Amino acid sequence: MNQHIKYTDETDKSFGIAGMAISLVACDAEEMLSAVSLEPDEESFDLANELFFISNPRFSAKIAWNELLKQYRIFSAMALGNLLCRRAAKTADIADEIVEELHRMLIDEGCEYCSLEHDEAEMLYDKHSRYYRRLFAHPGVMTIARDFATNLRMRRRMTGGEVLEQLARLNSL
């Protein structure tokens, strides 16, 4: 991905992490989150190993494909959440061209990783993009994102359970 998508500072990074965490909750994959961190020597977003599909010869082709599609949807949600939350919080100048670059990348990944036809990947992207744009345009979601980002900057690191505690208010929106 282009260097224009890099974080501008720690505040921008905390909103990117908030966007990814909120997206995981929104796509019912919050159990995949192990920890988040702003520490330079740690992964920013640590996911559970269960997310990464490991082939099993006893899996049917349909089961294997469904697992790959599930992973693609989760990673797409996280990428969109990262960018859209940062954009909504105005922590970085994220131009339409950068969103289009993410769009192209996600379409290409859907075609390559999940063997989707271009129009199928486009349809899936459009569905997810509309959903996450509405999500991060919601004032209540952005209030939760701001609180989460502030708390993360103060604490520096949170476990998956602590993240879910911070985001529990999403369920009441």
Side-chain angles (χ1 to χ4, degrees):
M1 196 161 253
N2 194 315
Q3 66 211 20
H4 300 261
I5 298 178
K6 289 184 179 181
Y7 298 118
T8 58
D9 58 20
E10 196 169 84
T11 298
D12 185 41
K13 185 175 183 177
S14 69
F15 274 96
I17 292 170
M20 290 189 293
I22 289 168
S23 295
L24 275 180
V25 171
C27 72
D28 293 325
E30 62 271 9
E31 73 280 355
M32 298 297 175
L33 180 58
S34 293
V36 296
S37 176
L38 283 177
E39 295 299 335
D41 59 336
E42 295 181 15
E43 289 292 322
S44 298
F45 209 85
D46 194 15
L47 295 169
N49 289 334
E50 293 83 37
L51 179 60
F52 303 101
F53 178 67
I54 298 172
S55 182
N56 183 330
R58 291 184 280 177
F59 285 167
S60 69
K62 182 177 180 177
I63 290 172
W65 185 79
N66 282 333
E67 284 300 312
L68 288 175
L69 189 60
K70 176 183 170 186
Q71 283 180 0
Y72 171 70
R73 286 180 175 158
I74 292 169
F75 287 123
S76 294
M78 289 172 53
L80 284 165
N82 182 310
L83 213 56
L84 295 172
C85 186
R86 292 166 56 207
R87 192 179 204 190
K90 298 183 182 2
T91 58
D93 181 24
I94 299 174
D96 289 339
E97 296 81 30
I98 295 173
V99 176
E100 278 305 310
E101 182 179 340
L102 177 63
H103 170 222
R104 282 189 300 277
M105 184 196 81
L106 291 175
I107 297 301
D108 291 347
E109 287 295 312
C111 293
E112 184 177 325
Y113 189 66
C114 298
S115 302
L116 296 172
E117 295 295 325
H118 185 81
D119 62 329
E120 292 172 319
E122 190 72 50
M123 193 170 71
L124 194 57
Y125 174 84
D126 288 344
K127 177 182 173 184
H128 285 115
S129 178
R130 280 191 308 273
Y131 176 77
Y132 290 104
R133 284 176 194 270
R134 281 193 317 269
L135 180 69
F136 289 104
H138 189 288
V141 171
M142 285 312 297
T143 297
I144 293 168
R146 281 184 189 87
D147 293 347
F148 178 90
T150 299
N151 198 347
L152 178 59
R153 287 191 306 276
M154 289 185 333
R155 295 175 65 178
R156 310 294 302 159
R157 185 177 203 294
M158 286 188 239
T159 65
E162 291 167 333
V163 169
L164 295 181
E165 267 180 44
Q166 293 287 313
L167 300 179
R169 296 183 339 218
L170 288 170
N171 294 325
S172 64
L173 297 179

